[in-house]
Amino acid sequence: MGRSRRTIPEELLLLALDPATGTTAQPQSLDLGLAGAQLVELALAGRIAPDGDRIAVVMPRPTGDPTLDSALELLRRRGSPVRAVHWIGGPRLGLRQIYLAHLERCGMVHAVAGQMCGVLPTTRYQATDTAISREIRARLDSAIRTGVPPDPRTAALAALAHAVGLGKHLYPGNEGRSSRSRLRDLIRHDPMGGLVAHAVMDVQNGVAAQPRRDRAPAPPVRAAASGVPMQPRRTGAMARVAAH
């Protein structure tokens, strides 16, 4: 894979980078998002493909990107398709730091050493070319503003940005509420991006142990003693709607 185009993990990290503080927004969930972004990028490169809620390797040939190829090799070693939620929720120690170092090597950010309280060493990161971050943001803004379905790469980026909670960072306050809602709606424009975005959110919500179901099965219709079919019992929101 050449360097003529930025990868989705790189773009997600650049979106999360706060130019004022030199730190990343949503650091806890960003590692999950980066793991999901790797899956989307590998799918776009034709190396993996979704198989229901699982990920299957369809072409183990390296992409030429060391960080992506490391993930591809780990997937290949699994031998069988792995659930996206299990992959994303697995150990991903330091993935955010790995990508920050990667962006520094590529010349997209530079590290600034400092100290906290005059004692603890810190490292902040500044984009070397703010035009890159502006271009990434402009693609999201355009998709949100126009309502035109974006390309799969931008749709996946939007889905992951929403999943890791970057909406409030990108579109803060009450004035950004409608933009955050539209950012969430962009999930539906890319199946792979939607799959991994939902997996990221499932991991954060602690529901990785259960298979994801789009729709609960309808309850069976039982016959009463009179022979007249009984109506399914209404619960929750259905009961509230029926009451009005």
Side-chain angles (χ1 to χ4, degrees):
M1 180 179 297
R3 297 302 306 158
S4 60
R5 181 167 55 188
R6 294 177 301 273
T7 66
I8 293 176
E10 292 168 354
E11 293 196 329
L12 183 65
L13 189 52
L14 287 171
L15 270 182
L17 195 61
D18 188 331
T21 64
T23 59
T24 56
Q26 304 299 119
Q28 301 302 319
S29 57
L30 193 54
D31 275 354
L32 302 177
L34 289 170
Q38 286 183 321
L39 293 181
V40 177
E41 191 66 45
L42 287 171
L44 289 173
R47 299 321 194 258
I48 64 174
D51 181 8
D53 66 347
R54 297 175 182 269
I55 302 297
V57 175
V58 295
M59 184 188 298
R61 189 180 70 217
T63 65
D65 182 306
T67 51
L68 292 176
D69 290 340
S70 176
L72 179 61
E73 177 61 15
L74 289 174
L75 285 166
R76 186 191 66 80
R77 290 179 183 176
R78 296 294 290 264
S80 60
V82 58
R83 287 185 64 205
V85 70
H86 287 164
W87 173 260
I88 291 170
R92 294 290 178 273
L93 297 177
L95 192 55
R96 178 169 51 99
Q97 199 60 41
I98 288 172
Y99 266 99
L100 282 169
H102 169 73
L103 290 181
E104 187 179 15
R105 287 193 303 271
C106 293
M108 284 190 258
V109 302
H110 69 273
V112 180
Q115 288 184 330
M116 181 183 295
C117 302
V119 178
L120 298 175
T122 62
T123 304
R124 300 180 185 276
Y125 293 87
Q126 299 292 335
T128 57
D129 186 355
T130 57
I132 295 177
S133 298
R134 289 197 302 269
E135 183 272 329
I136 298 169
R137 173 68 180 271
R139 282 167 35 218
L140 290 186
D141 290 346
S142 176
I144 288 172
R145 184 180 63 256
T146 65
V148 176
D151 61 276
R153 187 171 292 273
T154 301
L157 180 63
L160 287 161
H162 166 71
V164 302
L166 287 183
K168 291 183 178 180
H169 167 69
L170 299 171
Y171 307 103
N174 288 333
E175 64 275 14
R177 184 176 299 173
S178 62
S179 293
R180 294 195 298 271
S181 177
R182 294 189 189 109
L183 182 71
R184 179 195 63 222
D185 292 343
L186 291 176
I187 287 180
R188 70 179 185 272
H189 290 297
D190 181 61
M192 186 65 183
L195 170 65
V196 299
H198 283 301
V200 168
M201 291 185 284
D202 282 349
V203 172
Q204 293 179 88
N205 293 330
V207 296
Q210 296 297 325
R212 184 176 181 87
R213 294 181 175 88
D214 292 331
R215 185 181 295 111
V221 178
R222 293 177 290 114
S226 62
V228 178
M230 296 176 62
Q231 296 297 319
R233 183 169 59 91
R234 293 185 174 93
T235 60
M238 290 178 62
R240 289 194 295 273
V241 171
H244 289 282

